[in-house]
Amino acid sequence: AMASALKVAVVTGSNKGIGFAIVEQLCKQLGSSWAVYVTSRDEARGADALSQLKQRGVEPRFHQLDIDSQESVDRLAAYLKGTYGGLDILVNNAGIAYKGDSTAPFAEQAEVTIATNFWSTLRVCDALFPLLKPHARVVHLCSSVSDMALNKASPELQKKLTQPMSLDEVKQLMSDFVARAKAGTVQEAGWPQTAYGVSKVGVRLMTYAQARDVKGDDIVINCCCPGYVDTDMTSHKGPKTIYEGADTPVYLATLPPGIKQPIGEHLYERKVVPWAVKPDFKFV
Ligand code: NDP
């Protein structure tokens, strides 16, 4: 069969929270020449999100996606290739965070958090980047906690983190962090004791490396902090609504063809936040 002429957008982990709002906004902004996909690891939670979105006046499509499962990621890739011949927008939103009062051992928190937020995001990229069409836009949900982690790192580690790093070096860094978490030597390596923060350092460094390496015509990759948002992840403590949180991700997902910047950047409230040690850094 001939591939559909529709353009296609995929948002990972979009059955709730910021991803849900990103889907809604993309549907509203992109219109009828686009197929926008809610993806969820759980089919029932995905179906529930679809009916909530329908009540809100939009009708995205659905595909199952568990970013921790290679088989699930491969199935989505094959489906997109067969149905649309590629992909135009990818928002890597799915992520996890242990609660501050979790009693899970730090080694476990490090392994599990880095596995989903870093390795599984990378797994999605590895499977879907070959499908990206000209002018494709990719957005990773990162966080200002990456700035916080950088500012709390040792001077030696800060120096290393702020120099251009290849994707292989970033992978090594993340493996090393988990190994050290298991050995109880994270702080000796200059890291702050934060699994989530380091996972987002990994996402940020991944963004920088991918933006340097990516092949293709006008493919733009950025990451961003959505701000402190009222979701399950934050136990509903964040002041921003999911729609406010979706603003910068949607802005980056819909950057017009041929833009010169931002490319390979981390943004907060639509502004580039340089990757640099800031002695007066304040968490936003
Ligand atoms: P939520 O916990 O509300 O939603 C997270 C979403 O990711 C859910 O749909 C969840 O699915 C999904 N998910 C988790 N693991 C997987 C997986 N293995 N495969 C597929 N989907 C998965 O979080 P938020 O909406 O708050 O966060 C969205 C993103 O924004 C995350 O990357 C987060 O780190 C980032 N962020 C959030 C901030 C905030 O203040 N909220 C601040 C900075 C960054 P399920 O329902 O099945 O669990």
Side-chain angles (χ1 to χ4, degrees):
M2 261 237 310
S4 162
L6 291 175
K7 288 187 157 201
V8 58
V10 167
V11 183
T12 69
S14 45
N15 55 283
K16 69 177 186 182
I18 298 164
F20 177 97
I22 293 171
V23 164
E24 183 177 329
Q25 298 301 346
L26 287 177
C27 286
K28 286 179 174 162
Q29 288 189 25
L30 294 171
S32 59
S33 56
W34 283 76
V36 179
Y37 277 84
V38 167
T39 63
S40 169
R41 53 183 162 182
D42 182 90
E43 302 258 359
R45 288 198 286 276
D48 195 43
L50 278 201
S51 71
Q52 288 176 50
L53 284 160
K54 192 165 186 182
Q55 282 170 17
R56 297 188 58 88
V58 295
E59 295 196 47
R61 296 147 207 251
F62 175 74
H63 201 282
Q64 194 274 345
L65 177 65
D66 180 346
I67 67 168
D68 293 337
S69 158
Q70 186 66 49
E71 186 269 328
S72 173
V73 171
D74 289 344
R75 257 194 300 118
L76 176 66
Y79 171 78
L80 292 172
K81 190 172 185 192
T83 311
Y84 302 99
L87 178 62
D88 299 284
I89 292 176
L90 170 62
V91 182
N92 278 308
N93 165 82
I96 58 162
Y98 282 80
K99 301 291 180 194
D101 63 0
S102 168
T103 55
F106 184 69
E108 177 194 318
Q109 296 198 21
E111 181 162 43
V112 172
T113 308
I114 304 280
T116 295
N117 295 0
F118 180 78
W119 294 107
S120 294
T121 299
L122 189 58
R123 169 186 292 118
V124 171
C125 294
D126 286 344
L128 299 187
F129 277 17
L131 302 182
L132 293 175
K133 290 191 173 173
H135 315 295
R137 302 290 178 253
V138 177
V139 188
H140 305 324
L141 272 280
C142 187
S143 174
S144 300
V145 299
S146 58
D147 296 285
M148 193 159 59
L150 174 67
N151 279 277
K152 284 187 177 167
S154 69
E156 296 75 28
L157 183 59
Q158 287 177 335
K159 194 168 170 218
K160 181 174 179 185
L161 293 174
T162 49
Q163 278 160 10
M165 215 185 277
S166 71
L167 189 54
D168 280 342
E169 287 169 313
V170 182
K171 292 183 193 179
Q172 187 56 52
L173 196 73
M174 291 298 113
S175 297
D176 186 60
F177 175 77
V178 172
R180 285 181 171 280
K182 289 178 178 171
T185 59
V186 157
Q187 272 148 343
E188 279 140 61
W191 286 109
Q193 187 95 354
T194 162
Y196 180 74
V198 172
S199 78
K200 295 300 189 179
V201 168
V203 170
R204 188 144 167 186
L205 296 175
M206 180 194 326
T207 307
Y208 294 149
Q210 288 172 334
R212 268 183 265 116
D213 294 349
V214 69
K215 306 275 183 293
D217 175 13
D218 187 30
I219 293 173
V220 173
I221 306 167
N222 287 291
C223 66
C224 64
C225 179
Y228 193 26
V229 180
D230 175 350
T231 65
D232 288 345
M233 181 180 281
T234 62
S235 304
H236 302 279
K237 291 198 180 100
K240 280 192 178 185
T241 68
I242 55 173
Y243 298 96
E244 289 167 336
D247 179 74
T248 299
V250 169
Y251 161 73
L252 290 173
T254 56
L255 287 171
I259 50 110
K260 295 285 177 270
Q261 57 85 33
I263 296 175
E265 300 282 5
H266 181 258
L267 285 85
Y268 173 71
E269 291 188 335
R270 298 195 182 198
K271 289 192 195 70
V272 171
V273 181
W275 184 235
V277 178
K278 296 152 221 139
D280 58 346
F281 174 77
K282 282 203 188 55
F283 182 59
V284 281

